[in-house]
Structures are given as structure tokens and as C-alpha cells.
Amino acid sequence: LPTRTAELVVVNRILDLIETTPASRIARMLSAEGIPSPKAERLRAVNGVKVKNSGQWTQNTVKSIASHPLLNAMCEYG
């Protein structure tokens, strides 16, 4: 779960936008603004070679945040 204020601002923004805006458009918007995705700079293996994640937002990342029950409860109830 995010613990920094900046991360919570992004989560709140996603939860506000998801009701009227498609997740793919939100992902493009966040990437265009230079906001790093939650897994930015983490290492992953591609054919056995470690590479850094790009930091770009995806539709699935936005959907996962929007449907996460703890994030929804934290934003709604504090």
C-alpha cells in the first residue's frame, strides 16, 4: 500500500477519474505527465536478463489500483 502523500494523491486522482474516464486514457495521461508507475525502476527478467521497468502506466495498473479494496476504503474512510 502507498504510504507517501504523493502516492496517495495519485491514487485519489485515479479513483476520481475512473468513474468517467477509461483506464487506458488515465494511463496515457499519467505517463504523459511523467508520473512514475508503482513498479518504475524495479527489475524484472526478460529471457533471463534483468531489465528495469519503464515506469510507464498501463491500463491494467490503473484498473488494479481502482479495484483494490484497501485503497478504496482508505480513500473513502481515511
Side-chain angles (χ1 to χ4, degrees):
L1 290 176
T3 55
R4 296 185 300 196
T5 305
E7 291 174 349
L8 291 175
V9 168
V10 174
V11 169
N12 284 331
R13 185 172 173 199
I14 289 171
L15 293 176
D16 288 340
L17 289 172
I18 199 70
E19 296 176 12
T20 58
T21 309
S24 58
R25 188 174 299 157
I26 296 171
R28 283 193 309 266
M29 191 175 7
L30 293 171
S31 292
E33 292 174 8
I35 299 171
S37 71
K39 292 188 178 186
E41 300 295 319
R42 290 189 186 171
L43 294 177
R44 61 186 174 100
V46 177
N47 294 328
V49 178
K50 300 281 185 176
V51 294
K52 287 185 180 180
N53 283 329
S54 66
Q56 296 293 311
W57 286 85
T58 64
Q59 177 179 353
N60 287 339
T61 304
V62 172
K63 284 182 177 179
S64 295
I65 289 172
S67 63
H68 195 285
L70 290 176
L71 290 175
N72 283 318
M74 189 170 55
C75 290
E76 189 164 331
Y77 301 109

